[in-house]
Amino acid sequence: MKTRFAPSPTGYLHIGGLRTALYSWLYAKGREGKFVLRIEDTDRERYVEGATDLIYRTLKDTGLTYDEGPDVGGPNGPYIQSQRMDIYKKYADELVKKGKAYYCFCTKERLEQMREKDPTFKYDKHCKRLSAEEIEENLKNGVPYVIRQDMPTEGEISYEDMVFGTVTVPASDLDDNVLIKSDGMPTYNFANVIDDHLMGITHIIRGTEYLSSTPKYNLLYQAFGWDVPSYIHLPPVMKDAHNKLSKRNGDASYEDLLEKGYLKEAIINYIALLGWSPGDNQEIFTLEQLTDAFDVRGINKSPAIFDEAKLRWMNAEYIRAMSKDEFLAACEPYFKQVFGEKEFNRDILCEILQPRLEVLTDISSKISFLVDFGNYDPELFLHKKMKTNFEIAKNSIAYAISGLNNVDWTHDSIYDYLVAIAETIGYKKGQFLYSIRIAITGVAVTPGGAIEAALLLGKEETLRRLNYSLEMLSLRK
């Protein structure tokens, strides 16, 4: 068994493409097969410099290592289509000799005129009717040409898809595809068939946009007398009920999700469930577990909607499952953004953040209060549910200042002291601690409460901020 992933180097690897790579990898590895990477770069107009290296990096970063490919070699290379040009011309000429393809010398002007007359234009086989002498004369005179596949015009063509079952297409729907363009470059329709056969691909996994065009490819296999591979067509990944996720429309790519603070393991886990179900309620999978569980029978026929809220939930599960050292390493780049070279208590900060974080990029906003304080809105002290007011806030802060200097700076000591004061002055614990938290952070939402914030800030900074806030409230009229 052998599967392949054959992306075009036209930019970042988008979610739908990565899912295709993942399913192809899982299907092969779960059956002791091989997985091949091939770069299909014949569309030179859309080629993006550096995109090929990005594909290599993404697959290796996600653990989708390939047995054959441009940068790892293999017995069926080259694995970049632009390096295989002589191969395609040879097979196209063979089809012409077999009468399964023909030279087409029609000008762009003639084709455009036909399209203007009929929006559903299909090539009219004009050049198929040229005599052998006319063809020879045109070739001799260097008249530009393409090579077209000769499609049947009557009957139906059927094949079996492992997800959608029997797919039948009327022959009259099929156009005489261009196989070799006038510049000598092969079209996707032709090159992928040649490459899939020569590379021994047994199972082709791709999107449903190819469901109706697959008969064209099967006719090529049959024309050469080759075995037709098995097909697994995947429903699209949608951004909502009406629109597909699209790289061209700027929708999320793998790189985008990393930049948003998602972990690669969570991304792969979530993408696996976009259109596939394991048949039970399990949602968290390692790559090894996915390999064991993946079964084509679990692929849905309906489109899958990309739900970033669900991805955030899953990412949070992965964050909580990280070891202390793993979490600290993941946080370090964000800590550096906030603190620079300033020292801070990493242990306490990680302990507070890890159970409360959904994506890593939230770190900066959650801890910015540690370095950015002052000129906050006093209205923050007013909380309907807590029934706080400025008087309660002032009294809470003043009483807290009076004895905090003599308290051991540990969680339990600070907590016991502040709760005891709240009871003494007759305030509810929530009211009192809320007022203290606002007074030392100046923000409405923080990871953890007043005690955690005080521990992170340290005694000296906590008291400085309490005095600042008390003075600010005292100046209110």
Side-chain angles (χ1 to χ4, degrees):
M1 172 181 287
K2 189 183 280 189
T3 65
R4 51 77 162 168
F5 178 51
S8 298
T10 55
Y12 290 121
L13 190 52
H14 66 102
I15 297 306
L18 184 56
R19 186 190 65 169
T20 299
L22 174 61
Y23 285 8
S24 299
W25 188 91
L26 291 172
Y27 193 72
K29 295 305 175 182
R31 290 154 187 79
E32 299 183 356
K34 290 187 176 181
F35 175 61
V36 177
L37 173 66
R38 182 173 72 236
I39 302 299
E40 299 196 339
D41 63 341
T42 56
D43 187 349
R44 305 309 290 179
E45 290 183 4
R46 295 180 58 217
Y47 177 80
V48 173
E49 193 69 39
T52 300
D53 289 334
L54 185 61
I55 291 167
Y56 301 155
R57 189 165 70 246
T58 299
L59 293 182
K60 289 172 183 175
D61 189 47
T62 53
L64 305 184
T65 53
Y66 34 95
D67 302 286
E68 301 174 32
D71 57 335
V72 300
N76 303 298
Y79 293 91
I80 297 179
Q81 284 189 337
S82 60
Q83 298 173 12
R84 299 169 61 85
M85 303 309 299
D86 55 332
I87 297 174
Y88 307 126
K89 185 64 168 64
K90 172 187 132 182
Y91 282 101
D93 288 341
E94 183 179 330
L95 283 179
V96 173
K97 289 177 184 175
K98 287 174 177 279
K100 302 295 183 180
Y102 58 92
Y103 295 107
C104 175
F105 302 95
C106 288
T107 63
K108 285 184 179 179
E109 289 73 22
R110 179 178 188 268
L111 297 175
E112 286 171 3
Q113 285 173 4
M114 293 175 69
R115 285 192 187 93
E116 287 175 5
K117 291 178 182 177
D118 181 6
T120 62
F121 158 80
K122 281 197 333 176
Y123 185 65
D124 61 358
K125 294 184 182 286
H126 171 77
C127 288
K128 186 177 184 298
R129 296 188 288 271
L130 295 177
S131 66
E133 292 75 20
E134 288 175 303
I135 294 170
E136 185 63 33
E137 184 70 18
N138 284 338
L139 293 174
K140 182 179 176 182
N141 293 330
V143 178
Y145 67 87
V146 300
I147 296 179
R148 289 184 182 273
Q149 183 178 0
D150 186 18
M151 294 292 187
T153 56
E154 296 178 347
E156 294 180 332
I157 303 170
S158 297
Y159 71 96
E160 291 298 314
D161 181 77
M162 294 174 68
V163 175
F164 289 88
T166 302
V167 179
T168 301
V169 177
S172 57
D173 287 353
L174 303 176
D175 196 4
D176 283 9
N177 286 325
V178 172
L179 304 180
I180 300 291
K181 294 180 279 189
S182 59
D183 61 2
M185 293 288 280
T187 59
Y188 169 83
N189 295 319
F190 186 55
N192 85 90
V193 168
I194 303 301
D195 290 341
D196 284 338
H197 171 73
L198 296 180
M199 294 179 185
I201 305 304
T202 62
H203 292 73
I204 295 174
I205 301 177
R206 60 190 178 199
T208 50
E209 62 267 30
Y210 296 106
L211 261 179
S212 61
S213 59
T214 292
K216 302 174 186 177
Y217 313 134
N218 290 349
L219 287 169
L220 289 172
Y221 283 105
Q222 292 162 9
F224 286 116
W226 297 339
D227 291 337
V228 175
S230 298
Y231 294 103
I232 301 169
H233 284 94
L234 308 176
V237 180
M238 311 288 285
K239 67 189 301 181
D240 54 44
H242 306 289
N243 300 290
K244 285 176 62 176
L245 274 182
S246 168
K247 179 164 58 176
R248 293 185 185 185
N249 294 333
D251 290 322
S253 67
Y254 173 73
E255 294 286 326
D256 292 330
L257 293 177
L258 289 179
E259 288 179 10
K260 287 182 174 183
Y262 292 101
L263 301 173
K264 61 185 178 184
E265 297 85 358
I267 297 171
I268 285 295
N269 189 159
Y270 180 69
I271 288 175
L273 299 176
L274 280 175
W276 171 77
S277 170
D280 56 26
N281 294 323
Q282 184 175 347
E283 292 189 289
I284 304 298
F285 290 87
T286 64
L287 191 56
E288 183 179 359
Q289 289 171 328
L290 282 171
T291 306
D292 292 337
F294 187 76
D295 191 315
V296 171
R297 289 173 294 183
I299 296 176
N300 300 317
K301 294 180 182 180
S302 302
I305 295 180
F306 185 84
D307 180 358
E308 192 160 353
K310 181 65 177 287
L311 175 57
R312 285 181 71 94
W313 167 83
M314 186 171 284
N315 201 65
E317 293 293 307
Y318 272 86
I319 287 174
R320 285 192 278 275
M322 296 171 87
S323 70
K324 180 179 175 181
D325 288 343
E326 288 172 336
F327 182 66
L328 178 57
C331 291
E332 276 295 347
Y334 302 94
F335 287 164
K336 194 168 184 64
Q337 287 176 7
V338 174
F339 297 109
E341 301 303 319
K342 183 180 177 183
E343 288 299 317
F344 61 96
N345 193 321
R346 284 173 168 77
D347 289 339
I348 294 177
L349 192 52
C350 286
E351 186 180 322
I352 292 168
L353 283 173
Q354 191 166 2
R356 297 173 172 87
L357 207 60
E358 289 187 327
V359 290
L360 296 175
T361 44
D362 284 349
I363 291 173
S364 299
S365 62
K366 285 182 180 295
I367 66 175
S368 60
F369 72 91
L370 295 171
V371 294
D372 182 18
F373 178 78
N375 299 320
Y376 64 88
D377 187 353
E379 298 289 318
L380 287 172
F381 284 108
L382 307 180
H383 194 292
K384 271 188 178 181
K385 189 175 179 181
M386 297 287 186
K387 297 182 179 177
T388 55
N389 56 44
F390 294 125
E391 192 63 30
I392 289 174
K394 278 195 291 187
N395 289 337
S396 298
I397 296 167
Y399 276 100
I401 291 170
S402 65
L404 272 178
N405 199 46
N406 300 317
V407 171
D408 291 335
W409 216 249
T410 65
H411 184 283
D412 290 348
S413 295
I414 299 170
Y415 177 81
D416 291 344
Y417 172 73
L418 293 179
V419 169
I421 292 178
E423 290 177 357
T424 299
I425 61 178
Y427 289 166
K428 291 180 180 178
K429 181 176 69 173
Q431 286 179 319
F432 188 89
L433 292 178
Y434 176 81
S435 297
I436 299 303
R437 184 175 68 78
I438 297 300
I440 63 176
T441 67
V443 293
V445 180
T446 56
I451 313 303
E452 288 81 6
L455 285 170
L456 288 169
L457 290 166
K459 182 183 288 188
E460 182 180 344
E461 179 63 11
T462 297
L463 286 167
R464 185 189 75 79
R465 292 187 178 197
L466 285 171
N467 279 293
Y468 170 90
S469 295
L470 182 59
E471 182 179 351
M472 180 180 66
L473 287 171
S474 297
L475 292 173
R476 287 186 61 85
K477 295 180 180 179

